[in-house]
Amino acid sequence: ERLPLRSHTVAGAPAKWDHPCDGIAAAFGPHMAPLAGKILRYYVRSPVRHNYFVVLPAIALLMHGRGTPEATFLFALGVAPALGFGSTIPIAMNLFGFDGRGLRRYFLLPIRAADAFRTVALAGLLPGALLVPVALVAWLAFAPIHTDWRMLTALVCAGFGGLLFLQAIGLWTTLLSPRAIPFRVAFGNRLSFAANALMFVTMGILFGLPWALTTLGFETVVRAWWVAPWVLVGAAAFYVATVEVGGMVFVARREHIIALLEEGT
């Protein structure tokens, strides 16, 4: 009776990771792929996925009745920077919100904490980036005006440049003002005050861009198409710098970030 119980082993099938998220996450390498796959699943399984069915129709509705084809293009160019980020705001401004108390597990992974932050940041960039080419194809299919290479360049650079810039800002609110969010809820005001304030200010500025571009005029904007690539380069540099510095901030503030998340769980 004092002998330990005999353990029984059961042969099982090997684990399979064949979800599309895992295929995409494999690009992050064997060490980072599981973490990247988890982040991508947040977007696929959480209510934020419904935003993809709302953002483009909402922009198309606002675009309707702009008067002239030129005004329609200026409106599309003005809202392009907010397109990818606007579809993922509830997570992008608060990347660790779904983790809650589970954020402590990040520091048990066999990788550096700074690398874990960079993986989360880069994985969170993909869902919004996928929407930009979809919107571009929709524009080319239904645009009321002929789109030449200059206009196309401006649209592409505005879409990806705005995404990179706003995602970088979202990383700072993730680090400085996080809040735990239940997974199966409508998001709304579940973000922290700082995240909400920054979101509304940023989105207000971006949706003011169509008015600014209309003031400049269609011909002036098209002639100045070369500004758009430089804006993209600047936004990319800002994003890369944020990811690098943010990794160090994540390590330095980890206990404070965990405490803020645990307050809301």
Side-chain angles (χ1 to χ4, degrees), residues 49-260:
R49 68 184 184 275
H50 302 305
N51 290 3
Y52 288 91
F53 304 103
V54 175
V55 172
L56 286 181
I59 291 177
L61 183 63
L62 293 171
M63 196 181 299
H64 180 69
R66 286 287 151 180
T68 65
E70 290 79 9
T72 302
F73 167 74
L74 294 178
F75 179 82
L77 182 61
V79 300
L83 179 65
F85 183 75
S87 62
T88 61
I89 276 180
I91 301 180
M93 301 287 284
N94 191 30
L95 282 173
F96 301 127
F98 286 148
D99 290 301
R101 298 176 185 271
L103 182 64
R104 292 187 180 276
R105 300 173 184 173
Y106 281 56
F107 302 99
L108 301 178
L109 296 172
I111 56 176
R112 295 191 308 164
D115 292 334
F117 172 80
R118 296 184 186 103
T119 300
V120 171
L122 294 175
L125 189 66
L126 296 179
L130 292 175
L131 194 61
V132 175
V134 172
L136 185 62
V137 171
W139 168 262
L140 294 175
F142 302 105
I145 187 174
H146 171 70
T147 305
D148 63 18
W149 63 271
R150 296 172 300 174
M151 298 162 64
L152 184 63
T153 300
L155 287 171
V156 171
C157 292
F160 286 108
L163 175 66
L164 289 169
F165 178 76
L166 293 175
Q167 285 283 141
I169 293 178
L171 292 179
W172 285 115
T173 57
T174 292
L175 291 169
L176 302 179
S177 185
R179 176 177 289 182
I181 298 178
F183 195 79
R184 295 292 181 185
V185 295
F187 294 96
N189 60 0
R190 294 280 182 164
L191 294 172
S192 65
F193 174 79
N196 269 308
L198 188 56
M199 175 184 68
F200 286 117
V201 170
T202 304
M203 299 300 289
I205 292 173
L206 285 172
F207 279 101
L209 284 178
W211 175 83
L213 294 174
T214 301
T215 302
L216 290 174
F218 176 78
E219 294 296 334
T220 301
V221 171
V222 172
R223 284 198 303 268
W225 68 270
W226 52 270
V227 175
W230 286 108
V231 172
L232 176 59
V233 170
F238 177 55
Y239 181 81
V240 171
T242 296
V243 171
E244 291 300 316
V245 176
M248 295 183 287
V249 174
F250 180 61
V251 175
R253 287 177 51 87
R254 65 179 185 177
E255 292 301 326
H256 185 64
I257 294 172
I258 292 172
L260 289 175

